[in-house]
Amino acid sequence: RTPMNAILGFAELLRRGWQNNPQDTRRHLDTILGSGRHLLALINDILDLSKVEAGRLEVERVPCAVHAVVHEVADIMRLRANEKGVRLLVRCPEALPANVLTDAGRVRQIITNLIGNALKFTLQGQVTVTLRMVASEGAADTTSRLAIDIADTGIGIPADKLDAIFEPFVQAEASTTRQFGGTGLGLAISRRFARALGGDVTVSSTPGQGSTFHVTLDVGPLEGVDWLSPESLVAVTREQSRQDDVHWQFDAGCVLVVDDGAENRELVRLVLESAGLTVVEAHDGAMALDVVAREVPDLVLMDVNMPVMDGYTATRL
């Protein structure tokens, strides 16, 4: 409710014209945007937890460059770290497989949750993410796993709370929510994702000195997989950063936007028109077919759930 209160409250202020100057308007809009992103993250966490508890969580097993995923997340979150005066480091001290079989999307969520947590509870010092390969525990299991350690110099966790923090909606101390925010869902979801990927998330901590969250992931068979040295991993990361700086520009074209929500259509139209594209709208699948019969758009953005005719049927026809 906290982010929703901010969204509705500042939107109402802007609607009534109570802002005093452009700086106030920009600040209110930034608050609405930040609160909206926060609310979306909470909604996604709750939906993910619901899927897990209902036994409906689906994970992929496809080739994934986990080291690249970790660097991408770190690059995104380094701005937050810099704002707090905290260093965020990624280390690959030994050779790693170029690709392993796992779910890149779920791995990204795990790492985002754990780095975000580490930054939240670290007021000074650094957060260090270390990747390495480890042997699986147990005599019958001789496979290797990928280990990712997220170590911080934050407030730490009392020993009697180390198990409880992985329960949904639980945080180490009652005062944690008031001081740092959050719902207590990130760790619960991260552990369940890791276990679905054949690994786990555990923690070791010393109050007042910091915590280390240990992630392990099953990587599948490694026969024939290329290995990258620490130097090669650094080079690959630099090349990825250069590619991320590429800016795209669209040629002129016509896009048909099909959505039963007028607000959604207007938002997409404004964004696409600002990129130089022409937009045609339809509010259901049947209307979309009528539009396509009159003119052939270069691209169709089709909603799924709509009245009269849904997106699947319209796309098929």
Side-chain angles (χ1 to χ4, degrees), residues 183-308:
T183 59
L185 286 176
L187 292 180
I189 292 169
S190 296
R191 171 173 275 185
R192 285 159 172 77
F193 282 175
R195 289 179 174 177
L197 294 173
D200 203 353
V201 177
T202 58
V203 61
S204 55
S205 183
T206 302
Q209 297 183 24
S211 306
T212 301
F213 284 85
H214 311 276
V215 182
T216 56
L217 299 171
D218 178 31
V219 296
L222 296 175
E223 292 81 5
V225 174
D226 292 333
W227 287 70
L228 300 177
S229 66
E231 295 75 20
S232 298
L233 290 166
V234 171
V236 169
T237 302
R238 288 175 179 165
E239 179 62 28
Q240 180 65 40
S241 298
R242 283 195 291 270
Q243 292 175 4
D244 290 342
D245 289 337
V246 172
H247 298 283
W248 293 87
Q249 182 176 0
F250 291 98
D251 294 327
C254 178
V255 180
L256 169 60
V257 177
V258 191
D259 196 308
D260 59 314
E263 299 87 351
N264 293 341
R265 293 198 308 274
E266 181 180 10
L267 175 61
V268 175
R269 177 174 57 79
L270 290 171
V271 171
L272 294 181
E273 286 180 348
S274 69
L277 298 168
T278 301
V279 175
V280 182
E281 299 180 26
H283 55 66
D284 59 53
M287 178 178 283
L289 293 180
D290 292 339
V291 172
V292 172
R294 297 194 308 267
E295 53 188 293
V296 181
D298 298 290
L299 181 72
V300 180
L301 294 180
M302 182 76 75
D303 189 21
V304 174
N305 296 314
M306 294 181 291
V308 184

Side-chain angles (χ1 to χ4, degrees), residues 29-248:
L29 289 171
D30 287 344
T31 299
I32 291 173
L33 183 61
S35 297
R37 288 172 173 164
H38 182 202
L39 185 61
L40 179 61
L42 298 181
I43 292 170
N44 286 337
D45 282 347
I46 292 170
L47 290 175
D48 284 336
L49 187 65
S50 298
K51 288 180 185 177
V52 171
E53 294 186 337
R56 300 286 297 274
L57 177 66
E58 297 178 356
V59 296
E60 294 182 320
R61 300 283 290 178
V62 296
C64 166
V66 173
H67 59 276
V69 172
V70 172
H71 277 285
E72 288 170 12
V73 173
D75 287 343
I76 292 171
M77 306 197 78
R78 195 161 277 118
L79 176 61
R80 190 195 307 181
N82 292 340
E83 289 173 348
K84 295 189 66 175
V86 174
R87 297 179 67 199
L88 175 56
L89 308 173
V90 178
R91 292 177 175 167
C92 301
E94 58 189 59
L96 295 174
N99 288 283
V100 299
L101 292 180
T102 189
D103 188 320
R106 300 305 185 188
V107 171
R108 183 175 282 104
Q109 285 180 270
I110 294 170
I111 301 305
T112 299
N113 280 339
L114 295 180
I115 293 180
N117 257 18
L119 290 175
K120 184 196 307 186
F121 297 112
T122 301
L123 304 179
Q124 59 183 5
Q126 65 186 41
V127 173
T128 306
V129 185
T130 305
L131 290 80
R132 55 196 169 84
M133 297 298 295
V134 296
S136 298
E137 297 180 359
D141 190 351
T142 58
T143 60
S144 296
R145 294 179 187 270
L146 178 63
I148 308 169
D149 292 339
I150 297 92
D152 63 60
T153 56
I155 62 175
I157 305 164
D160 60 344
K161 305 290 185 181
L162 292 179
D163 291 329
I165 60 172
F166 289 101
E167 295 300 318
F169 303 107
V170 173
Q171 293 184 318
E173 301 290 351
S175 61
T176 298
T177 300
R178 291 192 297 273
Q179 184 176 356
F180 296 98
T183 59
L185 286 176
L187 292 180
I189 292 169
S190 296
R191 171 173 275 185
R192 285 159 172 77
F193 282 175
R195 289 179 174 177
L197 294 173
D200 203 353
V201 177
T202 58
V203 61
S204 55
S205 183
T206 302
Q209 297 183 24
S211 306
T212 301
F213 284 85
H214 311 276
V215 182
T216 56
L217 299 171
D218 178 31
V219 296
L222 296 175
E223 292 81 5
V225 174
D226 292 333
W227 287 70
L228 300 177
S229 66
E231 295 75 20
S232 298
L233 290 166
V234 171
V236 169
T237 302
R238 288 175 179 165
E239 179 62 28
Q240 180 65 40
S241 298
R242 283 195 291 270
Q243 292 175 4
D244 290 342
D245 289 337
V246 172
H247 298 283
W248 293 87

